[in-house]
Amino acid sequence: MSISDRNHQILNELVNNPSITSMTLEKKYNLTRRQLGYSFRQINDWLMANNLPVIERTRKGYFIIDQSVFTKLDSGQEKILVENNILSVEQRIYLILIMLISSEEELSLHHFTSELDVSKNTVLNDLKQAQAFLSAFDLSIRYTRRWGYLIEGQEFQVRKLLMKVTYQVLQINNGTNRIQKITGLQNEQVDEFHQRIENVENKLYLKFTDEKIETMPYILILIKRRIKQENKINPFSIAYEELSDTKEYQATEEILYDLQEIPVTERLFITLHLLSTNVYWSESSMDEAIPNLAPAIDHMLRRFEKNACIYFQYREELLNKLLQHIKPAYYRIKYQLTEFIDIHNSLGKEFIGIHHLVKRSLSPLAELIGCDIPEHETRYITMLIGGWMRKQGESFEKKVKAIVVCPQGISVSRLMFTELRELFPEFVFLDSLSVREFFDYKLDYDIVFSPTFLQTDKKLFISKAFIGREEKQRLRKQVMLELHGYIPSDIDVHHILDIINHHTTIKNESALIEDLQAYIHRDEESNIKHRNEQNDFILSDFITPNHITLRDDVESWEEAIRISAQPLIESGNITKGYIEAMVNHQHDPYIVIGPNIAIPHAPPEEGVNEVGMSLLRLKEKVQFTSEHGIHLIIIIAAVDKKQHINALMQLMKLASVEHDRNKLIHANSIKEVHQIINLYSNDNHR
C-alpha cells in the first residue's frame, strides 16, 4: 500500500514537528478541514497497513504520535513509494481503460502512444495485460479497422469497470488533469456535478467519503455520456420497490433534474451507486431502508467477541461505525457491484488472525444478504474491528490461540471444538482440523488439543473427544498449570455486570460485585501441587531390550496386542485389564500413526500402574483394518499426559522416516532394533 505525495509531506511534517496543529497544517498546505481529515485518515490507513499505531488527534487540533512511529520512520521505513511522472505498467493500463470507456472517437495505437508517451510495442504489450485485467469483469478488447479499439461485453460490467478505473486514475500523480485531458471534461462540468452531489449530502443528512466525492462527478458524467452513445444497461435483477422508496432514489432525481431522457433502469443504477457508496458520517438511522441489518451486524459482532475472547468497550459506537460501512456494502454485494479492490497487503500480521475470526463470524450478515461476503469487504470489516481493538488496548497477539485436531469426523470434531471453547473461554480457538489439515495449517497458534498424538513443536494436550465433568476439570487444571504455573482467575467482574445489565435489572450492584468476586477468587486450588521439574524421558528409556519382541507373524490383531503388551505385564507397568481395554479400543482409526506402524493405548484408569512402552516387530504384516497392514506395534501406557510426550515425539519422527521404519521391520535381532531406537532418542537426530 503506497501513500500519495501530499500525504507523505503531511506525515513528514507531523514526525518532524509533532507539536503542529491542524489549523497550521491547513494553512501551510492550502487544505480545507475536510481535505486534511481525508489525508489524515489515509495516513492512518497506511500506518495500520505497516503495523504501526495510528496517529490520534485531540479536540484542540493537536496530534498524539506513538514513539514507535518516530522510531520506525527514522530507521528507514519512510521510503514510501510516491507516484511520480513515470507511469508504471499498472497505471498505463488504467489510463488505456479510461480511454476505451470514455472515448467519443475511434481509438488507434497512435492515440495510446501519444497519450502515454511510449512506443507501439509497449502499448501492444500493455493492451495484452489490460485484456488479462478485464477477464475479472467478463469484458474484452476488440480492434476493427472501422471502429478502432473498443471494449466489448455487458454494459453493467463496463459500469463496474468505470467505477474501479476512475478511482485508480485519480490516485495517479496529477490524476485529475490526466482524466480531464483523456475524457475531455471541463472543470465547469465537474464542479457542477460536485455541487449537485453536495446538495444530495445535505438532503440525505450524510457525508460521503472524500475519495467518493472526488470520483462520483466523473463517474456520473461518463455514465451520462455512455447512455447518450446508446450504451445502456439491460434490465437486471433489481427490486424496483427496494430502491424507489429510498432517499437515494429521490437524490438521483435531483442530480438528474435536467436529464429527462435517462430511463428508469439507468436511474435505478445511479441510485444503486449512491446506496453502495461509502459514507464518512450519517445523521439518519442507517438500517431504516434495510430491515434486520442492525440485528444481523449486532449478531455478527457478538459472534466475533466470543470467537476472539474479548469484550468491546463503547460497543454502540463501534456498531454504528460498522452499520455505516455495511449499509453500502449490502448493496454492493447483493447487486454484484463489488469493486474488485485488492487490499491483501494492507493487513498487518496481527490482523491476519483477526481476519480469520471475522470470516467465521459473518454468517448472520451473509444470511441477510443471501450470498457470501467477498474477500475485500471482509478485509475492510477486519480493519475496522482490528483498529477498534487496538484503540481499546486489546492485543490479539497476546492471547493464547488454540486449535483442535480430531481424526474422528466432522461431527465429533465440532463437538470437541465447542466443548473445549466453553472449557477455556479465555483462549482464542481458531479451528477444528483433521490430521491432514493440521500439517498444512498456516495460521499461528500456541497450543493443540487432540485425542491422538501429533508431531508438533507447540504444546500438545491429549484429550478424548468426549469428556465428562471431572475430566474437564482435570484438563483445565493441567493446561493452566502447564501454561501459567497456576490457575488464573482473570475474569473481569465489570464485564460480567455489563452482560447481566444487558439482560436484566440489577437491584444491588455493590452486593452483586462482592458476591461475584468472592466466587471468582475462591480458593479451590490449594490442594494442587505443581511439579516444577518434569522427568524428560526419551524413547530408549521406555523401549529397552527386554521390552522388544520379534515375531515373524501372528494370527490376528488382538494377538498382536497381547504379545506386544506382555513385557509391560511382566514388569508390572500395566494390568491384564489394560490389555482388554486396548483390544476394545482397537477400532479407533488414530491408533495408526504412519505406514505399517500403530500405537495401541487406552485411558490410564483402565489399568496403568507406571508409564511405559513396549514394541512388537512382525515380518509379515497383521491386518488392523482392510486399509492398514501393520508390522510395528508399540504399546503405550501413560499415567498422565506429560511423562511420555517427549518419547512419543521421538517415535513420531521415526514413524515418518521410511528408511529406518523398514530397517526395523527387517531387523534380525533385538540389538538392531534397539540401535535404531537409540538413534531417535537423540533430540539432535534429524
Side-chain angles (χ1 to χ4, degrees):
M1 180 180 181
S2 60
I3 191 169
S4 71
D5 192 16
R6 183 177 78 184
N7 294 340
H8 188 195
Q9 289 179 324
I10 293 172
L11 179 57
N12 282 338
E13 185 72 46
L14 287 169
V15 171
N16 293 325
N17 184 15
S19 61
I20 196 169
T21 64
S22 297
M23 188 175 296
T24 305
L25 278 174
E26 290 168 12
K27 291 180 180 178
K28 182 170 184 177
Y29 293 99
N30 193 26
L31 301 172
T32 65
R33 173 184 278 183
R34 184 167 185 167
Q35 288 173 326
L36 179 60
Y38 179 45
S39 291
F40 186 65
R41 289 191 296 277
Q42 288 189 317
I43 289 169
N44 276 340
D45 285 345
W46 181 85
L47 291 170
M48 289 171 63
N50 287 273
N51 209 27
L52 291 170
V54 297
I55 298 172
E56 297 182 34
R57 186 162 46 169
T58 70
R59 290 183 178 180
K60 294 185 177 180
Y62 290 97
F63 298 91
I64 302 173
I65 307 175
D66 191 275
Q67 181 60 45
S68 60
V69 174
F70 295 100
T71 303
K72 292 288 185 180
L73 294 181
D74 287 343
S75 66
Q77 288 196 16
E78 77 282 359
K79 295 177 181 178
I80 304 164
L81 294 176
V82 180
E83 290 90 351
N84 52 42
N85 290 323
I86 301 174
L87 296 170
S88 67
V89 175
E90 184 179 38
Q91 290 171 336
R92 292 200 304 270
I93 289 171
Y94 291 137
L95 292 172
I96 287 172
L97 292 175
I98 202 69
M99 290 174 72
L100 289 168
I101 293 169
S102 65
S103 178
E104 296 181 289
E105 62 178 339
E106 294 78 20
L107 293 174
S108 66
L109 277 180
H110 173 72
H111 287 89
F112 296 127
T113 56
S114 175
E115 181 63 42
L116 302 176
D117 194 24
V118 293
S119 67
K120 286 186 178 181
N121 285 337
T122 299
V123 168
L124 289 171
N125 184 61
D126 289 345
L127 284 167
K128 289 180 182 178
Q129 296 201 46
Q131 178 60 70
F133 179 84
L134 289 179
S135 62
F137 295 82
D138 293 323
L139 298 171
S140 61
I141 299 173
R142 187 166 70 93
Y143 174 78
T144 66
R145 289 187 177 182
R146 182 177 180 183
W147 303 112
Y149 287 93
L150 49 83
I151 288 180
E152 285 192 330
Q154 293 185 2
E155 182 63 18
F156 190 88
Q157 296 298 108
V158 176
R159 301 291 178 83
K160 291 163 68 173
L161 178 68
L162 169 59
M163 295 174 192
K164 165 78 173 180
V165 173
T166 301
Y167 170 77
Q168 295 294 346
V169 170
L170 289 171
Q171 301 310 301
I172 299 173
N173 188 41
N174 203 26
T176 300
N177 290 335
R178 288 182 186 274
I179 198 169
Q180 290 189 6
K181 180 183 175 185
I182 288 172
T183 61
L185 297 179
Q186 302 299 315
N187 283 331
E188 294 77 13
Q189 293 174 278
V190 177
D191 290 344
E192 180 187 348
F193 268 83
H194 193 283
Q195 185 59 53
R196 293 188 186 194
I197 293 165
E198 287 196 343
N199 291 339
V200 165
E201 285 186 312
N202 295 330
K203 182 177 180 61
L204 297 180
Y205 301 104
L206 56 77
K207 293 290 183 184
F208 295 116
T209 60
D210 292 88
E211 65 184 34
K212 293 299 182 182
I213 282 287
E214 187 177 10
T215 59
M216 282 171 66
Y218 296 98
I219 290 171
L220 293 172
I221 294 170
L222 293 179
I223 285 176
K224 174 188 170 186
R225 179 181 292 181
R226 291 193 65 82
I227 294 170
K228 187 177 180 180
Q229 294 171 336
E230 299 298 321
N231 295 309
K232 297 179 182 178
I233 288 179
N234 293 324
F236 55 102
S237 56
I238 184 168
Y240 175 82
E241 295 78 9
E242 183 177 21
L243 302 187
S244 61
D245 289 336
T246 62
K247 290 182 179 179
E248 284 77 5
Y249 187 82
Q250 298 304 315
T252 298
E253 293 295 291
E254 290 196 14
I255 291 174
L256 306 177
Y257 70 89
D258 58 343
L259 303 170
Q260 300 302 320
E261 72 277 10
I262 295 180
V264 171
T265 302
E266 295 287 357
R267 292 172 185 270
L268 287 174
F269 181 83
I270 293 172
T271 300
L272 200 53
H273 180 54
L274 292 179
L275 284 165
S276 61
T277 296
N278 286 338
V279 296
Y280 171 63
W281 166 85
S282 175
E283 192 176 282
S284 61
S285 174
M286 294 299 293
D287 66 324
E288 59 187 16
I290 309 174
N292 300 318
L293 179 61
I297 297 174
D298 181 66
H299 189 191
M300 176 199 78
L301 198 57
R302 291 192 184 281
R303 286 172 64 98
F304 178 83
E305 287 177 304
K306 183 176 181 181
N307 287 333
C309 304
I310 67 168
Y311 183 87
F312 283 116
Q313 301 169 14
Y314 311 108
R315 195 173 183 282
E316 287 300 317
E317 189 178 340
L318 173 58
L319 188 59
N320 286 333
K321 281 189 174 292
L322 288 169
L323 276 165
Q324 197 166 278
H325 169 75
I326 292 174
K327 180 192 172 184
Y330 169 92
Y331 291 102
R332 286 197 297 268
I333 298 164
K334 184 171 183 177
Y335 294 103
Q336 293 83 52
L337 274 173
T338 51
E339 299 171 322
F340 299 91
I341 297 172
D342 181 13
I343 59 170
H344 176 78
N345 293 326
S346 64
L347 290 182
K349 181 181 177 182
E350 182 176 355
F351 279 26
I352 293 173
I354 296 172
H355 179 60
H356 178 73
L357 297 183
V358 166
K359 288 197 289 186
R360 280 183 40 204
S361 306
L362 286 174
S363 58
L365 191 59
E367 289 172 9
L368 177 69
I369 299 175
C371 60
D372 292 337
I373 310 302
E375 177 66 12
H376 73 265
E377 299 284 4
T378 305
R379 287 178 175 272
Y380 198 92
I381 293 172
T382 296
M383 293 178 72
L384 286 174
I385 291 177
W388 200 266
M389 289 175 63
R390 180 176 285 171
K391 180 180 177 181
Q392 73 175 44
E394 290 278 1
S395 174
F396 183 79
E397 288 298 301
K398 293 179 180 179
K399 293 184 179 294
V400 175
K401 290 175 281 296
I403 58 173
V404 177
V405 182
C406 181
Q408 294 176 274
I410 294 175
S411 298
V412 176
S413 177
R414 291 304 303 170
L415 177 61
M416 185 176 179
F417 180 88
T418 300
E419 293 212 339
L420 286 170
R421 188 168 68 176
E422 291 176 355
L423 184 60
F424 298 97
E426 58 274 89
F427 294 174
V428 175
F429 279 82
L430 295 171
D431 275 305
S432 60
L433 310 167
S434 68
V435 176
R436 183 184 303 175
E437 290 170 331
F438 166 69
F439 288 115
D440 294 325
Y441 196 63
K442 304 300 182 186
L443 292 179
D444 289 333
Y445 58 91
D446 304 302
I447 60 175
V448 185
F449 292 96
S450 177
T452 189
F453 303 103
L454 301 168
Q455 184 172 359
T456 175
D457 57 354
K458 302 297 176 69
K459 292 184 182 295
L460 174 67
F461 297 97
I462 304 300
S463 168
K464 291 188 293 185
F466 306 96
I467 53 178
R469 182 173 180 178
E470 291 185 1
E471 290 172 306
K472 286 181 180 179
Q473 291 176 346
R474 286 199 299 270
L475 178 62
R476 179 168 175 81
K477 291 176 181 178
Q478 177 202 351
V479 171
M480 290 305 186
L481 288 169
E482 178 71 21
L483 294 181
H484 305 294
Y486 64 96
I487 299 176
S489 295
D490 56 358
I491 301 172
D492 192 319
V493 170
H494 295 287
H495 285 178
I496 294 176
L497 277 179
D498 287 341
I499 294 170
I500 295 172
N501 258 321
H502 184 73
H503 296 283
T504 188
T505 302
I506 299 175
K507 294 181 179 180
N508 190 335
E509 186 170 300
S510 59
L512 180 58
I513 290 174
E514 184 177 346
D515 288 345
L516 284 172
Q517 287 178 334
Y519 176 77
I520 290 169
H521 300 291
R522 66 195 186 282
D523 184 15
E524 65 177 8
E525 307 303 335
S526 58
N527 61 333
I528 297 177
K529 295 181 180 179
H530 180 55
R531 285 171 37 172
N532 294 321
E533 295 183 5
Q534 182 68 50
N535 290 328
D536 203 11
F537 295 109
I538 58 177
L539 189 59
S540 59
D541 290 334
F542 294 127
I543 304 181
T544 58
N546 59 344
H547 279 195
I548 298 170
T549 306
L550 305 183
R551 289 286 184 93
D552 290 341
D553 56 54
V554 295
E555 292 184 1
S556 67
W557 175 251
E558 292 83 355
E559 184 182 12
I561 290 178
R562 298 182 194 283
I563 293 173
S564 181
Q566 191 58 36
L568 294 176
I569 290 286
E570 293 174 358
S571 61
N573 292 77
I574 61 173
T575 66
K576 290 183 179 181
Y578 189 73
I579 295 178
E580 299 309 316
M582 286 190 292
V583 170
N584 292 333
H585 282 80
Q586 65 176 291
H587 298 298
D588 288 346
Y590 49 85
I591 285 174
V592 179
I593 62 169
N596 307 315
I597 187 166
I599 51 169
H601 58 278
E605 57 267 27
E606 297 284 356
V608 177
N609 298 323
E610 186 178 352
V611 63
M613 295 183 183
S614 59
L615 180 149
L616 170 64
R617 191 292 319 272
L618 300 172
K619 283 191 174 181
E620 299 293 330
K621 64 183 177 183
V622 60
Q623 288 301 128
F624 168 64
T625 66
S626 59
E627 299 177 353
H628 296 291
I630 303 299
H631 287 279
L632 301 168
I633 299 97
I634 296 93
I635 302 294
I636 295 179
V639 293
D640 60 22
K641 298 180 177 70
K642 295 182 182 179
Q643 293 188 47
H644 64 293
I645 291 298
N646 188 52
L648 183 62
M649 292 301 101
Q650 293 168 347
L651 178 61
M652 295 292 286
K653 288 182 182 179
L654 172 55
S656 66
V657 180
E658 182 179 6
H659 174 72
D660 289 332
R661 229 176 32 239
N662 289 335
K663 284 177 68 175
L664 279 179
I665 293 170
H666 298 293
N668 294 315
S669 68
I670 289 176
K671 182 179 179 180
E672 287 181 40
V673 172
H674 198 246
Q675 285 176 341
I676 298 172
I677 295 297
N678 278 331
L679 183 64
Y680 279 84
S681 298
N682 179 359
D683 283 331
N684 294 322
H685 178 72
R686 295 288 182 267

